[in-house]
Amino acid sequence: MKILITGGAGFVGSSLAIALKTNYPSYEIYCLDNLKRKGSELNVARISQLGIHYVHGDIRNKEDFDSLPAVDTVIEASAEPSVLAGLDGTPDYLINTNLFGTVNCLNYALKHRAGFIFLSTSRVYPIKTIETLNFTEAETRFELTDDQPVKGVSSKGIAEDFPLDGARSLYGTTKLASELIIQEYNEFYGLKTVINRCGVITGPWQMGKVDQGVMVLWIAKHYWQQQLGYFGYGGTGKQTRDMLHVADLYRLIDWQLHNLEKVNGEILNAGGGNESSTSLQELTKICQEVTGKTIPIKQVAETRTADIRLYITDNSKVTRLTGWAPQIGVRQIVEDIAEWLDQNHVTLEPILK
């Protein structure tokens, strides 16, 4: 099998490439990446030493696809992933990458009649609607209830039929727009596709920042004993997310790669679910236990732009169709990332500290 992974030197793309090459040594894998994200240059050596082909290119440039060979499947993992992207300036790079770049990927896939696996995001769901959901305030976190004002949400989390009307961030909008175009290619060009609306993906080799990669950021700040803050919602740190280890995501992508016809045309939520969820307050406690370090955490009551109180993925549909469910819990995720920091602290310190 020949596979192209766009964003192939990024956190998710390189993780998928390495796992695929390790499990299927005979597969020919190409990773296309423009290396814009700080730290992605470290992954070029990691993938190249396994015999994965790194191609320096940009999905915004359709000419960069011309030198690529025909492949059987495209895994579209490239993105400007920040939920704040475009909010403090021009959105051009965001739109050109996340929307027009996806169109270039689709046209390349169509040219070679390749399957198309798209990594979308839970951020396609509107912020204001999520913020009006019914919840309870427990001792250390916020929790969804079963009694809700809209469809597609319960105590299990948010499902694929959650309403899409409303604003969601420019980042979420570009991903949703890409989803709509993918559905057109599936219906009218016969391209085999699947869309995965991923929750918070994390794990070793993610270069975490405030606006994207909060799990790694939280652990790194503990590791190097720097200050953090609980921002918004009263400054209590009770805002809650589910966390998906990239190794769990790989198991889903692996299944889809080899069974694409069984989920052709589907849109699937994929996240950690309630079983792998944490509030910031709970995450702080686990980080203290795993790293043995306690750091100052300031409390800021004011809620920031595009923040949400509570998001949990309802994985019912993806589990029903594929049998997949996440297996790695929050504590193991923290332990994996802490071990990675320990083993690579010299290299990572200039990036993450």
Side-chain angles (χ1 to χ4, degrees):
M1 186 178 284
K2 288 185 178 181
I3 302 163
L4 171 67
I5 302 177
T6 60
F11 160 56
V12 172
S14 63
S15 297
L16 296 177
I18 288 167
L20 283 167
K21 190 66 174 178
T22 301
N23 289 310
Y24 305 99
S26 65
Y27 284 13
E28 212 164 327
I29 301 172
Y30 297 84
C31 287
L32 180 74
D33 202 291
N34 66 1
L35 302 184
K36 183 175 187 290
R37 176 83 171 212
K38 188 177 181 181
S40 58
E41 66 279 358
L42 300 177
N43 291 322
V44 175
R46 294 177 63 234
I47 62 178
S48 298
Q49 67 187 11
L50 292 176
I52 297 166
H53 306 286
Y54 168 67
V55 180
H56 188 266
D58 197 311
I59 63 168
R60 295 175 298 167
N61 303 326
K62 59 184 179 181
E63 296 85 358
D64 287 354
F65 290 88
D66 293 341
S67 61
L68 293 170
V71 297
D72 303 295
T73 307
V74 175
I75 300 173
E76 223 285 64
S78 62
E80 166 49 65
S82 170
V83 72
L84 300 178
L87 297 182
D88 58 353
T90 172
D92 291 359
Y93 179 78
L94 173 74
I95 294 171
N96 289 334
T97 299
N98 290 8
L99 179 52
F100 298 131
T102 297
V103 172
N104 289 334
C105 295
L106 283 165
N107 287 333
Y108 166 80
L110 189 63
K111 176 182 177 181
H112 301 295
R113 305 306 304 179
F116 196 82
I117 298 174
F118 184 64
L119 296 188
S120 189
T121 172
S122 60
R123 282 289 186 168
V124 300
Y125 300 117
I127 292 171
K128 286 182 180 177
T129 312
I130 293 174
E131 288 290 83
T132 59
L133 297 179
N134 293 329
F135 67 95
T136 57
E137 185 173 349
E139 185 180 349
T140 59
R141 64 160 63 196
F142 298 122
E143 297 176 332
L144 289 168
T145 64
D146 282 322
D147 177 30
Q148 293 294 343
V150 296
K151 66 178 181 177
V153 60
S154 67
S155 59
K156 290 194 295 184
I158 289 174
E160 292 82 356
D161 56 343
F162 191 83
L164 290 174
D165 294 336
R168 58 191 47 78
S169 77
L170 287 166
Y171 162 65
T173 297
T174 57
K175 299 299 276 189
L176 181 59
S178 291
E179 288 188 14
L180 293 172
I181 292 172
I182 289 166
Q183 290 174 74
E184 299 296 319
Y185 274 66
N186 177 272
E187 178 70 22
F188 295 107
Y189 293 144
L191 196 67
K192 288 184 179 179
T193 66
V194 64
I195 293 166
N196 298 291
R197 289 176 178 164
C198 299
V200 178
I201 308 170
T202 191
W205 294 102
Q206 183 178 39
M207 305 303 164
K209 301 190 294 183
V210 171
D211 54 348
Q212 200 273 330
V214 66
M215 177 71 103
V216 170
L217 173 75
W218 218 258
I219 301 163
K221 292 295 187 185
H222 277 83
Y223 185 85
W224 279 294
Q225 295 184 280
Q226 296 177 298
Q227 187 178 59
L228 281 168
Y230 295 146
F231 288 88
Y233 308 103
T236 61
K238 290 186 179 183
Q239 54 264 58
T240 302
R241 299 286 190 283
D242 57 341
M243 302 289 174
L244 181 62
H245 194 297
V246 71
D248 272 333
L249 175 63
Y250 163 73
R251 291 189 303 104
L252 176 61
I253 301 302
D254 183 19
W255 189 95
Q256 292 175 348
L257 196 59
H258 299 96
N259 299 275
L260 189 54
E261 68 285 349
K262 295 179 182 178
V263 288
N264 181 31
E266 295 288 352
I267 297 173
L268 305 173
N269 281 2
N274 272 318
E275 298 76 17
S276 183
S277 65
T278 180
S279 68
L280 290 179
Q281 189 181 135
E282 293 165 353
L283 179 58
T284 297
K285 187 173 185 294
I286 297 171
C287 288
Q288 290 170 349
E289 293 169 354
V290 171
T291 66
K293 297 171 182 177
T294 299
I295 61 172
I297 299 182
K298 62 182 177 180
Q299 295 178 294
V300 181
E302 184 181 353
T303 302
R304 296 175 300 186
T305 302
D307 272 0
I308 53 177
R309 175 186 291 106
L310 173 58
Y311 184 91
I312 301 290
T313 306
D314 183 347
N315 288 314
S316 298
K317 181 180 179 182
V318 69
T319 300
R320 174 168 50 83
L321 290 179
T322 71
W324 173 89
Q327 297 176 349
I328 302 172
V330 172
R331 188 177 186 90
Q332 186 180 338
I333 292 173
V334 174
E335 290 172 348
D336 284 357
I337 293 170
E339 183 181 0
W340 165 67
L341 289 172
D342 216 31
Q343 293 174 348
N344 301 275
H345 62 94
V346 175
T347 303
L348 297 173
E349 187 170 344
I351 300 169
L352 291 174
K353 185 174 179 181

